[in-house]
Amino acid sequence: VLIGARVVVGLGIGLTSVAVPMYISETSPPARRGALVSLYQFAITIGILVATLVDEAFVDVSDGWRWDLGLAVVAAGVLALGMAGAPESPRYLVEHGMSERARGVLAGLLPADEVDGTLRDIQTQISTESRGSWRDLLAPSLRAMLIVGVVMAAVQQFTGINTVIYYDVDIFERAGIVDASGAIWAAVAVALANVFSTLIAIRYVDRLGRRPLLMLGLGGMAISLVVLGGAFLFEGDVASTLSIVSLMAYVICFAFSLGPIVWVLISEIYPQAVRGQAMSFATMVNWASNLLVALTFLTLLDTLGESATFWLYAGICVLAIVFVYTKVPETKGKTLEQIAADTA
């Protein structure tokens, strides 16, 4: 029953992982799109924090895991109710021949003097494109951006973030915090850092741009992972404190860079005709990478040791900096149609 239910939950999360950032991107003004899509990741961090607090509340309760799992229905219910009254994406409406409805939606999203121009841009792009298919993802004009989206989706996981989220209690216990409750409260502190640091991206992603935040965050992650790996070479209170501080610094740097900005990028760099397929593929790679990292983390700890494992993730961060610098376009302040034209 648990496995079957987990599969159903996974299907739901897979669908929303594609639909939510794409929907926000298509209904956001260009000047605020990065911040609004980043709210998706912000909501995820709040969910992680709440889940950690629920774990602490039921850590000593018999069968407390039932509450841990069952209370998640509250979040699902809030999302379902919230979407019930939400308007359809104007780009979807134009694509399906409902331009007047699209005009009405745009009128509620943009200043009055921008509605007609935005609608014309959407109509022009859609009229010059055929309806996309999965095969179209291999077209030469899309190949570069498909690679960018897939690589960034994989990097978000291969830099190790979900090993921290899934196994932070284990990491803290390995670092010398042996009390289970104490390790959970350390995990709560990490989750809080994750929440509040995402606000940095929300505030600055449309001011500084995507690339600067990505490179700054990846650099901080690499340094933090190197320090974290070094902390495991020693014992005592200093090593334990250093492991907590470096782990929190790593999460903070992830939270204002890779965490939200990967979702921003993959929701905006593809043309309308194939946006759904391209985002679906990138999101599939993201979750497959998540699974691979989760399955291998404990094995890496046992075979390579804690230090080498975190240094491996640091090396991936360094490679990611090079990739962002050489391949990832800056999309700050551009409409989705301008981005599609620039990256074609």
Side-chain angles (χ1 to χ4, degrees), residues 145-155 266 270 278 281-282 285-286 289:
M145 288 305 99
L146 183 65
I147 291 172
V148 167
V150 167
V151 170
M152 294 308 299
V155 163
I266 66 174
Y270 302 114
F281 186 69
V285 170
N286 181 270
S289 303

Side-chain angles (χ1 to χ4, degrees), residues 23-98:
Y23 176 80
I24 298 172
S25 179
E26 292 188 355
T27 56
S28 299
R32 300 178 60 197
R33 186 176 57 246
L36 291 172
V37 177
S38 295
L39 287 174
Y40 167 70
Q41 179 69 17
F42 181 64
I44 291 175
T45 65
I46 292 175
I48 293 169
L49 173 62
V50 171
T52 308
L53 291 172
V54 170
D55 286 347
E56 169 59 25
F58 292 99
V59 68
D60 295 321
V61 176
S62 177
D63 285 344
W65 62 270
R66 299 181 189 276
W67 288 95
D68 291 346
L69 298 178
L71 286 174
V73 75
V74 176
V78 169
L79 178 59
L81 290 173
M83 289 306 299
E88 185 52 84
S89 159
R91 289 166 175 82
Y92 172 87
L93 293 172
V94 171
E95 191 174 26
H96 289 78
M98 295 178 276

Side-chain angles (χ1 to χ4, degrees), residues 217-242:
L218 282 163
M221 290 167 64
I223 294 170
S224 300
L225 287 168
V226 169
V227 175
L228 178 61
F232 279 94
L233 297 176
F234 305 96
E235 297 181 354
D237 293 340
V238 173
S240 297
T241 301
L242 191 60

